[in-house]
Amino acid sequence: QKIIDPTQAPPWAPIDCEKLGRIIEMLEAAAKQASRRWPSKKLAEVAAEIYNALGHEHTFDEARVERILKLVINR
C-alpha cells in the first residue's frame, strides 16, 4: 500500500477535472444507493477529500475509488 508523504507533494498542482468529475459521479451514485443525499458543498468537500487521498496518480483506479467511497459513505 502506497503511503502519501505530503512533504514530497508539490505545493500546488492543477486539478485533473476529468478525474474529479468521475469521482463526483461515483460519489453521487454511491450516496444514492445508500439512500443518502448531500448538499453540493458536502459533496464537493468529500470529492476533494477522495481526490487528495488518491494523490498524484495518473491512472484512475476505479476499484480503489470504490473502496474509498464505501468507507466515506458509511462513516
Side-chain angles (χ1 to χ4, degrees):
Q1 186 178 14
K2 184 177 172 184
I3 297 175
I4 299 168
D5 181 357
T7 61
Q8 298 278 323
W12 179 86
I15 293 171
D16 180 334
C17 295
E18 188 175 324
K19 182 170 146 182
L20 182 59
R22 182 68 185 120
I23 291 168
I24 291 169
E25 288 174 348
M26 293 175 72
L27 183 56
E28 286 177 318
K32 185 176 181 179
Q33 189 173 16
S35 299
R36 296 188 65 178
R37 188 176 175 140
W38 289 336
S40 298
K41 183 178 186 292
K42 175 74 173 173
L43 184 68
E45 288 170 351
V46 173
E49 186 179 345
I50 293 168
Y51 182 94
N52 288 335
L54 294 174
H56 300 289
E57 297 173 7
H58 295 289
T59 59
F60 189 83
D61 185 347
E62 198 157 317
R64 182 170 180 218
V65 174
E66 285 179 2
R67 287 192 301 273
I68 294 170
L69 288 176
K70 285 179 186 174
L71 294 172
V72 170
I73 294 292
N74 294 316
R75 69 175 172 187

